[in-house]
Amino acid sequence: MKDDLKSDEDDLPLSDASNKKVAPPKDLPRGIHMDDAKLYTKDSEGKFRCINSKELIPFSRVNDDYCDCKDLSDEPGTSACPDSRFYCAQQMPDRDAQSVPSSRVNDGICDCCDGSDEWANQPPPESVRVKGENIVSQAPCRNKCDKIIKISKENEQIRKIGQKLKRGYLEAAKHVVGRETYGPDGLFYKLSKDCYSYKGFEYEYTVCPFQRVRQEKFPSSSKLLGTKPIWKQKSHGRYVLHMTQGDSSQCPNGMSRKAVILFLCGINDRVVKVMEEQLCEYLIKFATPAAC
Amino acid sequence: MACTLYNYRQLILLSLTVTLLWKSTVSVNRDNFKTCDQSGFCKRHRAMQSGQSPYVLLLDSLQVSPTSLSVQLLNTKNNVRLLLQLYGLERNTARVKINELEPLKPRYEIPVGDALVGEPKQQGIKVLDQSSESITVGLENNKILLSAKPFRIDVISGDEPILSINAQGLLKFEHLRKKEEAKVEEPPAGPDQGEENKDENSEGEKDEAKEADQSENKEEEEPMMWEETFKSFTDSKPNGPTSVGVDVSFPGFEHVYGIPEHADTMALKSTKDTDPYRLFNLDVFEYELYNPMALYGSVPLMLAHNEKNTVGIYWNNAAETWIDIRSNVADKNFFSKMADLVKGSTDMPQTDTHWFSEAGVIDIFIVMGPTPNDVFQQYTKLTGTQELPPLFGISYHQCRWNYNDQDDVKNVDSTMDEYDIPFDVIWLDIEHTDGKRYFTWDSHKFPNSVEMIENVAAKGRKMVTIVDPHLKRDDNFKVYADCKSKDMTVKTKEGGEYEGWCWPGSSSWPDFTNPEVRKWWSSKFHYDEYSGSTKNLHIWNDMNEPSVFNGPEITFHKDVVHMGGFENRDLHNMYGFYVQQATSEGILERSKNQQRPFVLTRAFFAGSQRFGAVWTGDNMGEWSHLKVSNPMLLSLNLAGITFSGADVGGFFRNPDNELITRWYQAGAFQPFFRAHAHLDTKRREPYLLPQENMLIIRNAIRTRYSFLPYWYTLFYKAYKEGIPVMRPLWVEYPSDKDTFNMDDQYLVGSSLLVKPITDQGGTGTTVYFPGKNHVWYDIESLQKYNGGQSAYINAPLAKIPVFQRGGSIIPRKIRVRRSSGLMHNDPFTLVICLDSKGEALGELYTDDYHSNQHKTGQYIHRTFSFKNSVLQGSNADPNGQYKSKEWIEKIIVIGYMTQPKSIQLTVDGRVSNLDGTYDNTHKVLTVRKPAVNVAQDFIIHVV
């Protein structure tokens, strides 16, 4: 799948080890966001003022594993205040801040790519420990940020190439009347001119965006999974097209089959996966530069 | 999941593919299930007239031992003799057993160690009085009076009569007899009756039959004794009539409870105008509510309760059983009720019950209380207590028929985390297998199940796969081939392998009644046998009534043969019990007895609590099914099966956003908490709902997690003492008559009062607060309510009406993580609600939350008391030696009336000061970070 954007398989927040300047200085409390650094300073009497609820508490009670502030601001680096956030030590520029819920601090699971949420270096409770090379890793954690950054950079490259190719998709739709049917400025028009096949375990699928989606099982059965296109979302980089009014035989309550096409950024036009998420509703992941 | 015959046809016609399987939306097809009229023995027993008992005790035959007596019973109509045995048992319990004196062959009795956890301990009885008409026996403070003519038994506790047997004279014991060719009845004529169903007897023999009918036993020869037909199914009844029955009266009792499983109110109703309550484990498709029809499981335990006493009877019989109930209160007609209003009723209330089973013996355990907790302890002494579940078992379970493949599982797991919704277990229904061959995986969808399970497990979670008892008849399926080669299947009456239809198509069933077969089944869970399993995989037994799509009433033919030549007729209700037992023992074995198993079952019997959890089967996503879940679970809890729940959201149909939200709120306060959905339904994982609903559901689940220490402690009490976790109000307030019918609100333990909203559009509800001197606090707003009265509670969608009793201390964990497995070492918060005297009590049980080492002392059991502004934490059980990392981070005292000056902590003689905050508006004192280990003794003085 090298030509599609890779998802963060690891479920780890993205972070950039090469860029240390956004990380808070060492003498600041653990788990805070760089921008909040000035809020976590002692006042003249050595006290900390809760950020929104404004109570004054001794500064020694910041990150002392007990939640004092009503606004939950005194424990940025522990799990003591439920529903607050822990900011990973390594942050990546040009990206949203990488943080995890406070409930993930020192729970034995590595969530930040740098492992900073597991600063106690304690494995999870005994019965929960697993052995073997798993995607989810348990404390003590290794810094995996390099791998994440690598994936992120690769994704960036794919996206750039994709964005170049995307121009051709807009070009193709330029003179098409009613091109908005195919997305903003007819972005996906080009895909309507072709069919794409996908071989699953039991069935083969033929996906002709905006025309029809079929499921075939050789030699006998063939079913129309959807034919009438309806956009569910076509903005903010998310493109979800419903192909509705498919065959309704054996569907619950006489509903008709529906194929939900999720367009994802990739260099080539292709069907990545088809899954019958629930009876008579099919999720199709479709990679295309048009979605970059 | 249930299957109608309709589906069964679909299954066959449409080549068993999932995408082709669908179910119509009609509800239960009553025609598939027998009414009393369609059941020969039910009809025969129900037709009996009271006051005409032909049975007399032959007191000459009396034999007395220190703990028991035996005496013969004579049926004066046919001269058949029975043997009555009366045993004194420990803890205010008596056993009355009636069998034939000389049966033609042994009648079936459930082996000791199966439903009964062991041979009940006997205790001394004393013959207090004996005459030619009666014997009086003393047992503790009770008298048991056996009258000879007509035979009856009266139990008197102190001076109060609490129970009578055969007071109405409905004892009927169909003795085993040879099928004399002469007595063959004519098959009843009916639309289903074809020539092929006729007996091969000649006309000549029929004439003889007519003659024989005029002889001595004429009164006993009735239709359907030697063969009966239901729909197109003929029951051959090679042993003829074998049923047993007797009446049991509860003088002074207006309310009886128990005998699950029925989709009905908690307080049982008079069956005067309906069929009797039926106990016969069946797979009922889209069951109807508020009727006495049989469902998936059976516990023949009935409790009777009034202001002074609680008593119970356990009917130790695994055959199909019906129970008629008459109440002189409920059955009063309108005019006599009017007369009562005028005169004031002077009648003593009485409930009369009539029990009859198709086979076996009469074996009645009388548990004499006198308190509800006594009854629970007495009953669980007999059938065992709830096995202590691992902590994940009482956390939130995410299930659906089906999660399609490894990616799907991974996606649900990670999306729940993305939305920060805690869950502990993700389940795989039948589609995960290779063609419904259990113990296998669909290799395309689950090419690497070990990696999948271990990835889920790495976050402190578990997985559950379904393993049903039907085996696909495919010689290449090794579990089946092995079962067949070892000759371990259930047999037809001719001795061949019994074959029926279920999910895989043509199937056979291992004979789980055979201990050797159970051992074999257990071994199939060993890691080397169940490939692709790991220690983090647990099991779900479904369809174990068993469900047979093309069988009579969707189950086994009654004449199929089990171990020892007994018919399914003799023991039907035990089959599912044995399936779960063997599965649970398999999980134990694979871990060399180290791991606590988690096994969910749909079918059950008395004693099933020893093997895991039970759910109420295939309910519907309807408000009425949400509402009925409370009485159904209360009935199960009263009958020893406390680890029980209902599918959150409803199995069939698509619940709307409001219903599913309310259902999560209810489920969060029921013992077993699992969301499940049918293949036909839309996906409904909490994160798919609109944000408002998602947040409310998330909050409900998190609330459940925050109360897990309390739940776990309650489950320990259930395990240790047999006290149910989910309790009707009357269990804690036994003299409060207003609570006797209450099943829309209940208690979790003794300290939480719960009234889930179960009405569409509900924005509030009237809550009854029990206890005249009690106070109750809303767990969220801390609003105080006085006991002994009702109050209207506003409950917009986000609100679950739950209240903590003043006088209680509840341990909680406020740091809710993504799974309970990651919370094992987290600190406790003690939430103390003071009573009107400023006092409170509570306890906490903890251990490693997963292993069996608690059985060898690796646990901690603490008590907490608050009195005179002093909180004391002390050891409740010095045998507990576990070392835990858990500590106490916070103490919240609600109802503390004055602002304290200082707080002192004393541990090991060392005194230190603690900080605290005081909320004068709500009168809440919060003590900051005592930081004592959970196992440590401590004293906190508030000055």
Side-chain angles (χ1 to χ4, degrees):
Chain A
M1 272 188 232
K2 276 244 169 92
D3 53 355
D4 303 327
L5 285 191
K6 196 170 178 191
S7 69
D8 305 330
E9 293 276 58
D10 311 58
D11 200 21
L12 294 176
L14 296 174
S15 151
D16 187 345
S18 65
N19 199 322
K20 292 278 192 328
K21 68 174 193 258
V22 292
K26 286 251 180 306
D27 54 343
L28 279 172
R30 198 193 301 272
I32 65 168
H33 188 270
M34 172 57 183
D35 294 348
D36 294 335
K38 59 183 180 302
L39 300 170
Y40 286 89
T41 47
K42 286 179 199 173
D43 73 359
S44 53
E45 287 160 39
K47 300 221 165 174
F48 168 73
R49 187 176 288 280
C50 304
I51 294 169
N52 294 315
S53 51
K54 303 295 181 200
E55 310 96 283
L56 274 176
I57 60 166
F59 201 83
S60 59
R61 292 191 177 174
V62 173
N63 278 345
D64 73 336
D65 207 17
Y66 183 88
C67 192
D68 289 280
C69 293
K70 283 204 182 74
D71 67 358
L72 317 174
S73 60
D74 62 309
E75 295 292 320
T78 78
S79 60
C81 289
D83 270 333
S84 64
R85 304 287 303 180
F86 175 92
Y87 287 86
C88 304
Q90 291 188 12
Q91 294 280 323
M92 189 187 254
D94 314 322
R95 277 195 175 271
D96 291 341
Q98 303 309 306
S99 67
V100 298
S102 57
S103 64
R104 296 186 190 171
V105 175
N106 288 334
D107 65 350
I109 313 301
C110 309
D111 291 289
C112 292
C113 70
D114 62 358
S116 58
D117 57 313
E118 294 302 313
W119 51 264
N121 269 320
Q122 291 293 314
E126 179 242 318
S127 66
V128 167
R129 286 173 217 166
V130 293
K131 285 184 220 126
E133 272 306 301
N134 288 288
I135 293 164
V136 176
S137 52
Q138 299 186 330
C141 308
R142 284 178 298 145
N143 188 318
K144 286 180 161 185
C145 295
D146 287 349
K147 187 180 152 204
I148 300 296
I149 289 159
K150 197 168 156 242
I151 292 169
S152 171
K153 282 182 177 159
E154 283 171 10
N155 284 349
E156 213 41 58
Q157 269 179 330
I158 290 168
R159 190 173 292 280
K160 272 184 193 152
I161 299 167
Q163 277 165 350
K164 268 185 205 153
L165 295 171
K166 185 175 167 181
R167 290 178 210 145
Y169 287 75
L170 290 167
E171 195 62 35
K174 218 167 184 177
H175 304 292
V176 175
V177 181
R179 61 179 183 270
E180 289 299 314
T181 318
Y182 305 103
D185 300 324
L187 182 57
F188 296 90
Y189 167 73
K190 205 170 159 218
L191 301 178
S192 73
K193 296 282 142 202
D194 225 331
C195 292
Y196 305 84
S197 68
Y198 176 81
K199 202 168 172 356
F201 311 130
E202 279 177 272
Y203 302 99
E204 270 193 46
Y205 298 87
T206 310
V207 180
C208 314
F210 303 98
Q211 309 301 328
R212 72 197 154 281
V213 178
R214 296 193 77 85
Q215 170 188 274
E216 334 268 357
K217 186 173 189 175
F218 296 105
S220 57
S221 74
S222 167
K223 279 216 166 56
L224 186 63
L225 304 187
T227 173
K228 188 180 175 230
I230 299 171
W231 279 106
K232 279 289 151 177
Q233 203 180 344
K234 48 179 178 175
S235 59
H236 303 98
R238 253 185 88 80
Y239 302 97
V240 184
L241 181 70
H242 284 194
M243 298 290 288
T244 65
Q245 296 185 5
D247 190 332
S248 63
S249 58
Q250 285 109 31
C251 289
N253 307 318
M255 65 172 268
S256 57
R257 282 180 175 71
K258 178 168 78 180
V260 176
I261 306 180
L262 188 63
F263 292 109
L264 303 165
C265 174
I267 293 171
N268 299 312
D269 295 326
R270 67 187 191 100
V271 178
V272 180
K273 182 166 183 175
V274 180
M275 182 170 93
E276 188 175 1
E277 268 218 310
Q278 61 200 41
L279 217 55
C280 299
E281 188 172 320
Y282 302 78
L283 179 69
I284 297 167
K285 290 187 179 171
F286 195 106
T288 169
C292 291
Chain B
M1 56 217 83
C3 192
T4 57
L5 280 176
Y6 184 75
N7 298 123
Y8 151 64
R9 282 191 207 104
Q10 289 249 329
L11 274 168
I12 298 163
L13 293 173
L14 303 175
S15 74
L16 301 171
T17 58
V18 178
T19 37
L20 300 179
L21 209 176
W22 67 285
K23 285 168 183 174
S24 59
T25 47
V26 295
S27 66
V28 67
N29 185 356
R30 279 177 178 247
D31 292 348
N32 282 339
F33 304 103
K34 284 187 190 176
T35 62
C36 183
D37 264 351
Q38 292 165 316
S39 157
F41 83 95
C42 187
K43 220 167 141 180
R44 295 198 292 276
H45 282 264
R46 221 186 184 195
M48 291 182 67
Q49 298 296 311
S50 58
Q52 295 172 5
S53 184
Y55 286 96
V56 296
L57 279 177
L58 304 176
L59 289 176
D60 297 345
S61 66
L62 177 69
Q63 289 186 338
V64 181
S65 86
T67 57
S68 68
L69 63 77
S70 69
V71 58
Q72 290 177 20
L73 258 174
L74 177 72
N75 181 338
T76 52
K77 281 199 179 155
N78 61 11
N79 287 321
V80 174
R81 287 184 187 212
L82 307 177
L83 182 69
L84 179 147
Q85 291 164 295
L86 170 72
Y87 298 89
L89 302 180
E90 62 168 1
R91 288 176 183 245
N92 233 10
T93 302
R95 179 182 195 176
V96 175
K97 211 170 155 179
I98 301 174
N99 196 353
E100 288 180 56
L101 184 65
E102 288 167 330
L104 279 179
K105 58 181 185 177
R107 297 179 67 109
Y108 180 78
E109 295 183 42
I110 307 167
V112 171
D114 294 354
L116 293 177
V117 69
E119 191 60 61
K121 239 189 209 147
Q122 297 184 13
Q123 87 161 13
I125 57 166
K126 224 169 38 195
V127 175
L128 302 174
D129 185 52
Q130 190 176 350
S131 71
S132 60
E133 279 117 46
S134 68
I135 326 162
T136 307
V137 174
L139 173 68
E140 297 191 34
N141 293 324
N142 314 291
K143 277 183 229 137
I144 302 170
L145 174 67
L146 294 90
S147 306
K149 199 175 173 183
F151 160 67
R152 65 181 276 169
I153 297 176
D154 295 279
V155 181
I156 296 132
S157 175
D159 296 324
E160 304 263 353
I162 53 170
L163 181 145
S164 307
I165 294 173
N166 203 36
Q168 296 178 75
L170 302 180
L171 173 61
K172 180 180 180 70
F173 204 110
E174 293 178 332
H175 62 280
L176 298 180
R177 59 201 85 183
K178 287 219 173 71
K179 183 177 184 182
E180 296 168 41
E181 294 303 317
K183 286 186 185 164
V184 170
E185 63 189 90
E186 283 192 53
D192 291 328
Q193 197 73 27
E195 273 300 296
E196 71 281 7
N197 286 328
K198 278 196 179 165
D199 221 88
E200 64 272 17
N201 295 299
S202 71
E203 286 299 311
E205 281 168 327
K206 275 181 192 157
D207 289 338
E208 281 177 321
K210 276 172 196 153
E211 266 174 61
D213 270 353
Q214 286 149 17
S215 70
E216 54 173 272
N217 285 355
K218 190 188 166 194
E219 79 284 355
E220 296 207 359
E221 285 304 329
E222 291 167 44
M224 310 210 275
M225 275 188 163
W226 288 95
E227 183 179 287
E228 62 185 270
T229 299
F230 173 67
K231 299 185 81 173
S232 59
F233 303 100
T234 298
D235 176 4
S236 69
K237 303 181 77 170
N239 296 311
T242 57
S243 73
V244 298
V246 72
D247 60 275
V248 179
S249 300
F250 299 97
F253 293 89
E254 188 184 332
H255 293 92
V256 288
Y257 307 95
I259 56 167
E261 179 174 48
H262 301 98
D264 207 349
T265 52
M266 173 184 67
L268 299 171
K269 293 172 186 148
S270 165
T271 56
K272 190 161 167 271
D273 303 316
T274 65
D275 261 0
Y277 283 98
R278 187 182 190 203
L279 294 178
F280 188 56
N281 296 356
L282 291 175
D283 178 4
V284 183
F285 176 75
E286 299 202 338
Y287 54 79
E288 281 177 21
L289 306 185
Y290 305 109
N291 73 47
M293 284 173 74
L295 286 179
Y296 312 95
S298 304
V299 184
L301 170 76
M302 182 183 280
L303 274 53
H305 174 76
N306 63 23
E307 296 100 306
K308 282 179 277 182
N309 279 308
T310 312
V311 300
I313 62 162
Y314 166 53
W315 177 266
N316 187 33
N317 186 308
E320 177 186 351
T321 298
W322 299 76
I323 301 136
D324 252 323
I325 297 174
R326 296 282 189 280
S327 155
N328 68 348
V329 180
D331 292 337
K332 247 181 208 173
N333 66 36
F334 177 74
F335 293 104
S336 73
K337 272 186 191 157
M338 285 294 287
D340 286 350
L341 285 177
V342 179
K343 291 186 295 191
S345 175
T346 51
D347 295 351
M348 185 171 70
Q350 174 160 326
T351 301
D352 298 316
T353 65
H354 182 198
W355 300 64
F356 33 97
S357 298
E358 194 180 5
V361 300
I362 292 176
D363 190 9
I364 303 173
F365 289 81
I366 307 166
V367 293
M368 290 178 263
T371 69
N373 280 353
D374 290 333
V375 166
F376 299 138
Q377 292 185 22
Q378 288 154 1
Y379 171 69
T380 53
K381 204 76 193 161
L382 298 171
T383 63
T385 61
Q386 179 67 55
E387 187 62 13
L388 182 64
L391 187 66
F392 72 81
I394 60 171
S395 304
Y396 171 62
H397 299 257
Q398 184 65 51
C399 186
R400 176 179 174 82
W401 176 22
N402 215 90
Y403 291 119
N404 295 341
D405 53 28
Q406 285 180 202
D407 272 356
D408 200 359
V409 167
K410 186 177 158 187
N411 187 47
V412 171
D413 179 69
S414 62
T415 313
M416 289 293 278
D417 281 346
E418 204 178 296
Y419 285 79
D420 210 9
I421 304 167
F423 84 99
D424 265 55
V425 188
I426 184 162
W427 293 52
L428 295 178
D429 208 321
I430 53 175
E431 311 301 333
H432 83 277
T433 60
D434 172 15
K436 317 299 180 314
R437 296 167 184 88
Y438 307 103
F439 304 99
T440 71
W441 301 85
D442 181 317
S443 61
H444 296 295
K445 298 172 180 168
F446 298 92
N448 193 343
S449 62
V450 169
E451 186 185 289
M452 169 187 69
I453 298 165
E454 293 306 283
N455 256 313
V456 167
K459 291 193 267 187
R461 298 185 173 131
K462 310 289 169 192
M463 289 196 71
V464 166
T465 51
I466 197 163
V467 175
D468 290 351
H470 50 262
L471 298 179
K472 184 178 174 71
R473 297 182 78 219
D474 166 6
D475 289 332
N476 294 319
F477 171 35
K478 71 177 186 188
V479 180
Y480 169 71
D482 196 22
C483 182
K484 185 176 152 189
S485 73
K486 293 188 163 77
D487 197 26
M488 284 179 161
T489 66
V490 167
K491 301 290 191 314
T492 63
K493 64 177 190 294
E494 290 84 12
E497 182 177 316
Y498 178 77
E499 184 259 339
W501 280 76
C502 206
W503 296 123
S506 177
S507 304
S508 287
W509 282 261
D511 181 12
F512 284 90
T513 68
N514 182 339
E516 289 304 314
V517 175
R518 295 203 293 274
K519 213 182 249 175
W520 165 83
W521 178 263
S522 297
S523 74
K524 296 296 165 203
F525 293 93
H526 296 182
Y527 298 122
D528 53 345
E529 290 271 355
Y530 188 173
S531 66
S533 69
T534 83
K535 71 172 172 125
N536 293 306
L537 183 70
H538 292 258
I539 304 297
W540 171 18
N541 292 147
D542 195 1
M543 314 298 274
N544 54 339
E545 298 74 25
S547 179
V548 182
F549 295 163
N550 58 342
E553 302 194 82
I554 329 293
T555 191
F556 279 158
H557 291 72
K558 280 186 163 165
D559 54 11
V560 305
V561 179
H562 296 275
M563 185 185 70
F566 287 109
E567 291 179 284
N568 188 253
R569 181 189 331 279
D570 295 305
L571 50 77
H572 175 87
N573 288 342
M574 282 296 282
Y575 188 82
F577 169 107
Y578 286 129
V579 173
Q580 190 196 18
Q581 178 185 22
T583 304
S584 172
E585 283 167 1
I587 302 295
L588 259 178
E589 255 176 41
R590 75 172 188 192
S591 72
K592 307 200 163 44
N593 294 322
Q594 290 304 299
Q595 188 178 27
R596 271 179 244 169
F598 172 84
V599 180
L600 179 73
T601 181
R602 191 170 72 180
F604 56 86
F605 191 70
S608 288
Q609 64 268 18
R610 307 202 302 273
F611 309 114
V614 162
W615 96 107
T616 59
D618 299 347
N619 60 359
M620 276 191 264
E622 307 269 343
W623 286 93
S624 57
H625 278 252
L626 165 58
K627 193 186 284 281
V628 86
S629 69
N630 288 315
M632 287 180 79
L633 297 178
L634 285 167
S635 295
L636 281 166
N637 271 265
L638 287 171
I641 298 184
T642 197
F643 192 13
S644 49
D647 283 347
V648 169
F651 178 63
F652 296 112
R653 312 200 184 170
N654 295 308
D656 65 20
N657 294 330
E658 182 193 2
L659 174 56
I660 194 168
T661 304
R662 290 302 196 187
W663 211 317
Y664 268 97
Q665 293 177 332
F669 287 92
Q670 292 170 342
F672 175 58
F673 182 25
R674 182 186 75 151
H676 185 35
H678 189 278
L679 187 71
D680 278 1
T681 62
K682 293 195 163 68
R683 290 260 173 159
R684 51 165 103 138
E685 288 66 36
Y687 51 77
L688 294 174
L689 300 176
Q691 191 178 32
E692 183 200 7
N693 303 84
M694 184 279 287
L695 289 174
I696 293 171
I697 289 169
R698 180 169 80 179
N699 195 42
I701 298 173
R702 286 182 180 178
T703 303
R704 167 62 165 234
Y705 277 65
S706 79
F707 276 105
L708 281 176
Y710 179 62
W711 282 101
Y712 197 61
T713 302
L714 291 172
F715 269 99
Y716 176 71
K717 302 285 276 186
Y719 160 72
K720 204 72 186 161
E721 296 163 22
I723 314 294
V725 165
M726 180 179 178
R727 305 172 190 166
L729 267 62
W730 60 260
V731 166
E732 294 295 328
Y733 302 89
S735 61
D736 184 349
K737 274 183 88 164
D738 291 342
T739 65
F740 292 177
N741 282 315
M742 232 175 245
D743 59 14
D744 56 351
Q745 60 177 82
Y746 59 90
L747 294 159
V748 174
S750 65
S751 307
L752 278 187
L753 176 68
V754 183
K755 185 164 189 193
I757 302 296
T758 57
D759 289 312
Q760 184 166 26
T763 55
T765 183
T766 300
V767 174
Y768 176 72
F769 294 94
K772 285 236 157 51
N773 308 312
H774 285 182
V775 287
W776 294 86
Y777 293 90
D778 185 306
I779 61 164
E780 279 176 349
S781 69
L782 307 184
Q783 169 82 40
K784 183 170 158 183
Y785 298 92
N786 288 320
Q789 59 193 53
S790 297
Y792 186 80
I793 306 298
N794 283 319
L797 192 58
K799 173 85 180 169
I800 321 173
V802 180
F803 308 87
Q804 184 177 343
R805 180 173 48 81
S808 68
I809 301 178
I810 292 187
R812 294 178 66 176
K813 283 193 177 182
I814 304 301
R815 306 184 187 196
V816 173
R817 304 204 190 248
R818 71 193 106 178
S819 71
S820 79
L822 300 177
M823 294 165 64
H824 287 184
N825 297 332
D826 282 334
F828 295 105
T829 292
L830 300 181
V831 180
I832 304 178
C833 285
L834 298 178
D835 64 14
S836 49
K837 288 178 285 184
E839 298 177 1
L841 286 171
E843 59 190 307
L844 168 63
Y845 171 84
T846 178
D847 57 21
D848 67 12
Y849 297 118
H850 71 98
S851 83
N852 276 322
Q853 291 185 32
H854 69 96
K855 292 183 175 171
T856 51
Q858 293 302 306
Y859 62 90
I860 296 166
H861 188 188
R862 309 288 301 170
T863 57
F864 304 106
S865 78
F866 192 95
K867 195 176 182 177
N868 300 325
S869 294
V870 176
L871 172 66
Q872 188 158 3
S874 42
N875 199 352
D877 184 347
N879 296 320
Q881 298 294 326
Y882 185 61
K883 294 210 175 8
S884 170
K885 289 180 180 162
E886 294 163 295
W887 52 286
I888 297 168
E889 67 170 322
K890 190 188 285 192
I891 293 159
I892 301 171
V893 190
I894 296 151
Y896 194 80
M897 299 313 285
T898 51
Q899 171 129 25
K901 291 192 189 71
S902 72
I903 306 165
Q904 280 180 349
L905 169 70
T906 309
V907 180
D908 283 339
R910 286 194 307 276
V911 182
S912 56
N913 285 318
L914 295 177
D915 255 6
T917 53
Y918 186 70
D919 173 352
N920 198 27
T921 321
H922 295 100
K923 307 291 178 201
V924 177
L925 168 66
T926 303
V927 178
R928 185 183 196 281
K929 211 177 180 187
V932 292
N933 183 279
V934 65
Q936 240 169 348
D937 289 345
F938 69 89
I939 295 171
I940 291 174
H941 287 266
V942 184
V943 186

